[in-house]
Structures are given as structure tokens and as C-alpha cells.
Amino acid sequence: MMISTFRTAAMCCRRAVHGHKPSTLRFFRRNQGTIAAEAGVSSGSATATVVPNAASNRIVGRWLVGCSGLVIGAVVLGGVTRLTESGLSMVDWHLVREMKPPQTKEEWEEEFSKYQRFPEFKVLNHDMTLPEFKFIFYMEWGHRMWGRLVGLTYVVPAMYFWKKGYFSRSMKGKVLGLCGFVFFQGLLGWYMVKSGLEEKPDSHDIPRVSQYRLCAHLGSALLLYCASLWTGLTLLQSPQKLVETKHLMLLRKFAKGTGALVFLTALSGAFVAGLDAGLVYNSFPKMGERWIPDDLFAFSPTLKNFFENPTTVQFDHRILAISSLAAITSLYLFSRKVMLPKRAKIAISLLTAMAYGQVALGVSTLLLYVPTPLAATHQSGSLALLSLAIWVLAELRKVPK
């Protein structure tokens, strides 16, 4: 009897162990990976078990949002450099050597003599003094050094997080793309500056960089900013649980179109800056005495006016700005028909308020003949508006199944 009881107990234990073994091992492995990820161990065997989790996603999200903030600084500083006519003061490009500005009087005079060989000094600044040159030099130098800071802020933490195992397979591709885009942005910046250093014997215009290259440089910076901010927000904020209705799907599509319109309006500002188009027709809402100016299509062929005629460029920017304001207002009114979480409602309300503030800044900048502080604030406002549009899209995104 005892032998029979013992055998029965042993068989039960064996069945229990074998029956629960897979789930037990899965539980152990899952918790082992989570502990390793949160502990941040760096040994070879432990690193292999590290997987992205909520804690590591928050860290990566904060890093990307911080990087996007530095990109904002680069764009604003670049705009101020453009407004102060400082962008062509550094006629060379060296990744490391130019990080140290001139120190002695001889070095400053040598740098000044280089600048004197190029069109901007010969045509525009032929009576410039050395102290005046130092001001524009430091403006451009600060912009370039900020760009290098942005590069380091992307690349160095990316290498660390990669080694720690904080990136999923899809995130690795995104991070590589962002870091590569930073290097591309730097090269594009120098390509833009070169266009303003070229001798143009047949031209009597003030030397300036190509508005096409300026638009490409700004556009790539905005794309880098949007991609970084979007990725960071999606890692930091869990998606809202929204009831999928017909109105919500329409609102989501409307928000995407509105975001694209805001981006296009900000990008059109590059042509306004590149052609100094803000200095023509300093009146609103009419342009001079007319709603549509006579020289809107003065250039031939007609397509050339949209990119090289200051009147047409300003007219287009006005139309895009008013269209963005109308779209955002409509988005706000339509959102009131949809059941949305509080956070999404706040994002849409702030976007609407910022849109009206941005239009007010733009009109004031135009009427006051583009004062540098106000123009820089207007450019910063476009970034704030774009940021809020991205936040709205992040709040309205679908919950992954």
C-alpha cells in the first residue's frame, strides 16, 4: 500500500513539473530580460538578454525630444544669422579646425582678409571694419558650433543606447536614418553657403545664398525635427484609446492634411528669407493698393515667378498662412463633434491659439519692415506651430493591434 501511494505521488509530481515547465521557463526568461534591461548591465551575456521595455523607451523618447529641441535652436540661430547678414562671413569649412575661432589680432586680420576676397565684402560691405566683421563672424561661428553640438547629441547617445540594447530592430533603422540625416544637413549647409561665395559678373544683386539651397537646408532641418519629435512622443506617450468612428477617421485625415499645410507654409518662409521678399509690399491685407499686385507674374516663364519673384513669393506665403489658419480653425470646430480625451482636446486648442498668434506675428513683422527680433520670433512661432501639429497627430494616432 505504501509503495502504491508513493508511486502515485511521484507520477503526479512528474506530471505537474512537466505540465508547467514551458510557462515557468517563459516567465523566468521574460523577467530575466526585464531585470537585465532595467538594471542596464553591460556584460556580454547580460547584454544579449536586454530588450526594449517601458523604462528604456522612456529614456530613448526623452533623448529624441531633447535632440529635437536642439534642432529648434539650430533653426532659430540660422534664421538670426540670415537676418543679420552673417552667413557668408566664414569662407572656409573644416569639421574640426574651425571649432577654434581666431585668437590673436594677426589671426583675425588673416580671416578678415579672406572675407575681403569674396563678393559680399566687395559689393555690400566694402567699408566694413574689423570689429564689425567680428560680430558677423561670431554669429556664423555660433551657428556652426551649434550644428556640431546637435550632431554629437544624436550620435554619441545613439551608440550608447545601441550597445545597451535599448533599440528594437525597427528603432535601429530609424536611429541610423536620423544620425545620417544630421551629417547630410551639415554638408547641405556648406553647399548652401558656397552659393553665396561664387562670383557672378553678370549680376548686380546683393550677394546672397541660393534660395533653392536655403529652402533645401531649412526643409531638411524641419524633416529632422519632425521625425525626432514624432518618434520621441510616440515612445513617451502611450496611444489614447479612441473609439473608432467615422468622425474620428475624418478628423485624423484632416489633422494630417493640416500638419502638411503647416509644414509647407514654414518651408515657403525660406524663399521669403532668401529673396528678402518681406521688404516688398509692407501692407496688409492688400499688397499696396491691390489685392493682387500687377507684377505677380512679371518673370518669364511663369513658373519662375513662384521661386524667384519676391512679389509672388510673398503672395504665396500669405495665401499659405491664411489657408493654414483656416484649416486649423476648421479642425478645431470639427473636433468638437468627436469624443476625444482631455489631452487631445488641449493639443488642438493650443494649436488653434498658436495659429492666430503666428499670423499676428507675421503681419506685424511685415508692417514694421522686418525688424530682426520680431522676424526671429515669427520664425520661432512657425516651429511652435509645427510642434503642436505633430503633438495633435501623436494624440490622434491609432492604437496598434
Side-chain angles (χ1 to χ4, degrees), residues 249-266:
M249 289 188 286
L250 286 173
L251 180 66
R252 192 178 283 135
K253 291 179 181 178
F254 195 6
K256 290 178 181 178
T258 302
L261 186 57
V262 170
F263 182 92
L264 185 60
T265 305

Side-chain angles (χ1 to χ4, degrees), residues 176-302:
L176 284 176
L178 290 173
C179 292
F181 216 71
V182 171
F183 285 107
F184 171 74
Q185 173 70 1
L187 293 174
L188 192 57
W190 173 240
Y191 180 64
M192 176 192 70
V193 169
K194 281 186 67 178
S195 66
L197 299 176
E198 296 169 355
E199 294 280 356
K200 300 173 183 177
D202 299 331
S203 176
H204 299 286
D205 291 339
I206 295 173
R208 55 166 65 95
V209 300
S210 163
Q211 68 270 26
Y212 298 102
R213 298 186 192 184
L214 177 61
C215 181
H217 187 51
L218 175 63
S220 62
L222 292 178
L223 285 173
L224 177 65
Y225 171 68
C226 291
S228 302
L229 182 61
W230 169 265
T231 308
L233 287 177
T234 54
L235 289 174
L236 285 173
Q237 297 179 344
S238 56
Q240 303 270 21
K241 293 183 179 179
L242 304 172
V243 180
E244 292 293 328
T245 63
K246 184 179 179 180
H247 279 160
L248 176 62
M249 289 188 286
L250 286 173
L251 180 66
R252 192 178 283 135
K253 291 179 181 178
F254 195 6
K256 290 178 181 178
T258 302
L261 186 57
V262 170
F263 182 92
L264 185 60
T265 305
L267 194 60
S268 71
F271 285 97
V272 176
L275 293 171
D276 289 328
L279 298 176
V280 299
Y281 292 105
N282 297 91
S283 58
F284 189 87
K286 292 183 178 181
M287 297 181 72
E289 299 297 325
R290 296 176 177 271
W291 290 102
I292 300 177
D294 292 334
D295 56 340
L296 191 65
F297 297 112
F299 292 5
S300 182
T302 303

